[in-house]
Amino acid sequence: MSLTLLVRSLKCSGWNQARISSYKLCLSKMSTQVESEPLPTIHEIRTRIVKLMGANVSYDPKNIHLAKRDNLLKYLPRSQDELPVRTMQDSFEAAIIPLSQDLDLRDKMVTVQGAVRLGRFMEIMDLFAVYIALKHLKLPNLPADLPTPYVIVTVLVDDVTFTSYKAKPDKDIRISGQTTFVGKTSMEISVWLEQLSDGAWEKITKAVFVMVARNSNNTASALVNKIEPGNEREKHILATGLERTNMRKKESSESLLVHPPSTFEQQMIHKVFLDTIDKSNPLLGRRILPPYHVWMEATRQNSVIHLHPEERNLHNKIFGGFLMRQALELAWLCGYMHSKQKPKLWHINDVSFKQPVEVGSLLRMTSEVVYTEKTFMQVCVNADVYHPPTKTTTETNSFHYTLESLEDVEKVIPRSYHEAMMYIDGKRRYDRAMRLITE
């Protein structure tokens, strides 16, 4: 497929000019890399991460805490100006998910319907984003035989939009990514997935990861290399990254935990309330469901997982990609049970990691359909760690998904004020997802 036809296809699929520019840059770099050497597999990428981190891949239950790495602290900068400026090309990497040959990996990726488990994609993309972040970092004074003094932590995954292409479980998938924006201690990493089909690379999804750099003992934040655009296209991509950063700050400042709902949102909730009042005797305050409606609480689905060492990362915490996979699959089941049809995942918004999850924890996940509109469902998943001895919980993660059924779904109705706020938040996220999907 020619570049002109590809760009035209991207526009028809709803990609805006900023995403297309970033994608074209990615393609040009991949072409150069493919010509010079074969792409590494995702297994080889993981091996590189282990080597860069100097980590021990075996688990010792007698020593679950990582050894102190005080000797590496001296190599971390006190100012960003001490670090060399990096470009997007410095961090670019592409790799292959070898589904055509790795049968064990294929078994892990395939669904019972013969599709690919999208939750597995999130695991792999999170791992790959860590590698891109490590590749961006450069310390001139670090001896070649020492591991990196950085610890990379995923704090946010945003704007994961899936195309209509259905990935096949028996064909290789190309994953690529690069650093697209940098703060003082944070890096925004953009990651793409594509699959070769009928001689053309079909895009599957793109995700934006926000990674934070920590010091070698994971006790404080660490400064990262600045990024400088190499051409006009990269300037545009950086500007888009800044826009996303500002948008996150704006949405955080307008959160329902900070400000009350807008006048329009209050009127919307009031109408929902009036629609559920028993008109025969409104003074009793009894609420009833209109036809083809369900109470929000009736859509709730739960899971409890005992977290074993198999799911840990190199820092002996539970791998963020594993948490994303579990949440996505619970959200999909929640949407399936509500709509009675297998839904399609269109968008993931604002996956936030609030607290690290320890090995051995009891992870509880609760999913609910918080907003519906015609065929679409907005599903929220909240995760917390339950402590049986004290009967207390610690909130760790929240996840938000936009799913679509083949037919119109039953509308959800909030019963309490808390659910009303979830309903409003769900509509905000649904509206945002629709803008990104259709723009």
Side-chain angles (χ1 to χ4, degrees), residues 336-354:
Y336 184 15
M337 296 176 75
H338 177 64
S339 65
K340 304 175 183 61
Q341 297 177 343
K342 296 180 175 65
K344 172 180 171 49
L345 174 66
W346 278 108
H347 188 74
I348 304 174
N349 168 251
D350 191 19
V351 175
S352 57
F353 294 84
K354 301 171 184 176

Side-chain angles (χ1 to χ4, degrees), residues 90-104:
D90 291 331
S91 64
F92 177 82
E93 186 64 74
I96 291 294
I97 304 173
L99 296 181
S100 65
Q101 299 181 8
D102 192 332
L103 300 184
D104 290 336

Side-chain angles (χ1 to χ4, degrees), residues 29-38:
K29 292 176 182 176
M30 279 190 289
S31 299
T32 302
Q33 186 170 357
V34 169
E35 291 174 1
S36 59
E37 59 183 13

Side-chain angles (χ1 to χ4, degrees), residues 378-389:
Q378 191 67 33
V379 180
C380 174
V381 178
N382 288 307
D384 62 60
V385 170
Y386 179 67
H387 309 278

Side-chain angles (χ1 to χ4, degrees), residues 58-67 309 312-317 358-360:
S58 62
Y59 180 78
D60 182 1
K62 297 179 181 179
N63 184 22
I64 61 173
H65 300 290
L66 296 177
R312 78 193 189 283
N313 60 23
L314 297 178
H315 317 304
N316 275 347
K317 308 295 182 183
E358 302 290 339
V359 173

Side-chain angles (χ1 to χ4, degrees), residues 404-417:
E404 185 181 20
S405 178
L406 294 175
E407 300 175 353
D408 287 358
V409 299
E410 291 181 307
K411 295 182 178 180
V412 296
I413 295 289
R415 191 194 291 266
S416 65
Y417 186 81

